[in-house]
């Protein structure tokens, strides 16, 4: 009897491990404030509250203007995800837990203090406004901690955004330098990104050389924001979104530089790079990589794939393909 029970516990535990291993590489569940759970709660609340679904795009980018619908949306999300309670207020313990170890002990103290200060200025009966401004204070505090906890927010004074063509040139150089063999190039042109040491180092090379990444500081978010210029998204919102993704995909300290660049930086930034190249398709298509159907051997990596997103007639996989 006892044994039966304990073996079913073991089976359940193993199942849990398998489930979390299966979802871990995509890193979408780890943080309630940025993962799928959050987006799901947001979508449900929009429906539930009858908010115009056209606003979803804005909300998906964490852009929350202080209008009535948005305030009540935040309250709804907060109640669904248990970070807000009309009586107990904002759950600072949960916030700390979700962002640990990215934030230290002072985080919770400052957060609680700053939320109290903010709520004192509001109508105590207006729960939408209270939830909304508590959440905003929380976001500001998180940004500050993510910003000061790492140097990723510090813009390099010398950083000049590159053109899409300049980035392609760097990609070509890097592919040569890490000696990507023709077989890799062939798969890259089909949009298959093999997770192997050469490709990982190729990504690192391009990320570092574009001035968007360093081994020491990781993703340089301010530079990335200037480079990628995500439409309708300010630096704060971009940093919060990417900061949470980078945190979810944090690599163990033993990971080497190439693995880190690939599994953390590239995993998080790839969709934004895809959009950048799509927006710059006119000039991208002038690049020699896209003027030849088959690259000559030794000529590096055309990054290509056939998918719905591909305006390049199947010639842009590595950068343009989506997961
Ligand atoms: C609010 O947060 C800042 C740091 O972000 C901190 O310096 C300040 O002391 C906090 N205020 C309170 C009342 O805790």
């Amino acid at each position: 009897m006892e044994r039966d029970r304990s073996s079913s516990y073991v089976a359940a535990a193993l199942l849990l491990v398998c489930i979390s291993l299966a979802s871990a590489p995509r890193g979408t569940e780890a943080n309630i404030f940025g993962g799928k759970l959050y987006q799901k709660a947001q979508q449900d609340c929009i429906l539930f509250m009858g908010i115009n679904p056209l606003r979803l795009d804005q909300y998906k980018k964490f852009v929350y203007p202080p209008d009535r619908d948005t305030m009540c949306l935040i309250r709804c999300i907060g109640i669904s995800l248990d970070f807000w309670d009309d009586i107990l207020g904002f759950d600072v313990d949960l916030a700390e837990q979700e962002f640990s170890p990215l934030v230290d002990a002072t985080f919770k103290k400052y957060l609680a203090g700053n939320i109290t200060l903010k709520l004192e200025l509001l109508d105590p009966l207006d729960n939408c406004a209270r939830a909304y401004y508590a959440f905003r204070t929380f976001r500001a505090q998180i940004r500050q901690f993510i910003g000061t906890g790492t140097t990723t927010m510090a813009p390099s004074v010398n950083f000049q955004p590159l053109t899409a063509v300049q980035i392609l040139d760097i990609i070509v150089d890097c592919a040569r330098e890490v000696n990507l063999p023709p077989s890799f190039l062939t798969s890259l042109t089909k949009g298959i990104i093999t997770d192997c040491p050469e490709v990982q180092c190729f990504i690192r090379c391009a990320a570092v050389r574009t001035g968007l990444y360093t081994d020491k500081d990781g993703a340089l978010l301010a530079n990335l924001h200037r480079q990628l210029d995500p439409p309708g998204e300010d630096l704060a919102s971009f940093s919060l979104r990417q900061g949470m993704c980078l945190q979810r995909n944090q690599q163990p300290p033993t990971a080497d530089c190439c693995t880190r660049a690939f599994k953390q930086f590239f995993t998080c930034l790839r969709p934004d790079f895809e959009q950048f190249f799509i927006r710059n398709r006119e000039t991208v298509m002038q690049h020699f990589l896209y003027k030849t159907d088959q690259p000559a051997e030794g000529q590096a990596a055309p990054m290509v794939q056939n998918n719905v997103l591909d305006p390049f007639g199947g010639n842009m996989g590595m950068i343009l393909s989506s997961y």
Side-chain angles (χ1 to χ4, degrees):
M1 194 66 176
E2 260 321 293
R3 180 175 301 169
D4 278 0
R5 189 176 298 168
S6 68
S7 68
S8 64
Y9 283 152
V10 170
L14 278 177
L15 185 62
L16 273 179
V17 168
C18 292
I19 291 168
S20 49
L21 282 179
S23 59
R26 314 214 70 178
T28 44
E29 310 296 347
N31 189 309
I32 61 161
F33 293 104
K36 276 188 182 153
L37 271 179
Y38 183 92
Q39 295 292 356
K40 174 78 169 63
Q42 176 156 275
Q43 205 147 6
D44 290 348
C45 283
I46 289 173
L47 281 177
F48 175 68
M49 299 175 51
I51 296 175
N52 188 333
L54 288 175
R55 299 200 70 180
L56 185 59
D57 281 347
Q58 181 184 33
Y59 294 147
K60 271 187 182 160
K61 290 177 185 154
F62 303 104
V63 176
Y64 296 118
D67 57 73
R68 203 67 211 159
D69 276 354
T70 307
M71 288 188 190
C72 293
L73 171 71
I74 296 295
R75 172 173 175 259
C76 175
I77 298 171
I79 292 170
S80 317
L81 297 179
D82 283 331
F83 65 76
W84 174 259
D85 180 284
D86 287 343
I87 293 164
L88 302 173
F90 193 91
D91 190 339
V92 292
D93 292 313
L94 178 65
E96 187 200 25
Q97 190 184 312
E98 289 294 308
F99 284 92
S100 165
L102 202 66
V103 296
D104 59 28
T106 56
F107 170 78
K108 193 165 80 177
K109 204 180 88 200
Y110 287 160
L111 179 61
N114 282 323
I115 288 179
T116 304
L117 283 181
K118 190 81 194 176
L119 297 193
E120 276 168 5
L121 305 172
L122 300 172
D123 175 354
L125 297 179
D126 187 348
N127 289 322
C128 290
R130 291 173 71 241
Y132 174 79
Y133 283 105
F135 183 69
R136 266 179 62 143
T137 306
F138 155 70
R139 289 181 71 195
Q141 199 89 38
I142 271 290
R143 270 184 217 130
Q144 202 174 352
F145 267 74
I146 291 177
T148 54
T150 71
T151 58
T152 53
M153 281 291 284
S156 150
V157 241
N158 298 320
F159 181 75
Q160 281 298 323
L162 302 169
T163 63
V165 168
Q166 284 172 320
I167 295 180
L168 288 177
D169 289 341
I170 288 172
I171 284 173
V172 170
D173 289 345
C174 283
R176 282 195 183 122
E177 281 170 37
V178 304
N179 288 322
L180 280 174
S183 60
F184 278 130
L185 299 184
T186 313
S187 27
L188 286 174
T189 57
K190 291 182 182 130
I192 301 160
I193 300 188
T194 323
D195 183 0
C196 64
E198 289 85 351
V199 173
Q200 290 187 348
C201 291
F202 157 73
I203 293 291
R204 169 177 173 257
C205 169
V208 169
R209 208 162 295 173
T210 45
L212 301 170
Y213 180 85
T214 66
D215 289 331
K216 181 170 151 290
D217 297 326
L220 304 175
L221 292 178
N223 290 1
L224 280 157
H225 183 259
R226 279 176 67 196
Q227 175 65 60
L228 298 169
D229 194 18
E233 192 176 32
D234 65 12
L235 174 61
S237 172
F238 176 79
S239 301
L240 181 65
R241 176 167 68 85
Q242 291 294 351
M244 289 193 296
C245 180
L246 293 165
Q247 187 222 353
R248 290 197 297 273
N249 290 284
Q250 207 154 37
Q251 298 300 303
T254 50
D256 65 71
C257 295
C258 295
T259 306
R260 200 180 298 277
F262 187 82
K263 294 198 169 163
Q264 191 181 26
F265 174 85
F266 189 56
T267 296
C268 291
L269 273 306
R270 181 175 167 178
D272 286 68
F273 272 99
E274 292 171 0
Q275 288 178 32
F276 172 79
F277 282 103
I278 290 172
R279 287 202 310 278
N280 289 281
R281 60 190 173 280
E282 306 263 305
T283 54
V284 165
M285 290 183 76
Q286 300 305 311
H287 196 272
F288 75 85
L289 280 181
Y290 302 97
K291 300 213 152 186
T292 48
D293 283 337
Q294 283 299 314
E297 201 169 297
Q299 191 183 47
M303 309 302 172
V304 199
Q305 178 192 29
N306 290 304
N307 70 15
V308 284
L309 269 183
D310 184 1
F312 301 93
N315 267 330
M316 191 116 180
M318 168 148 205
I319 300 166
L320 287 182
S321 59
S322 290
Y323 299 110

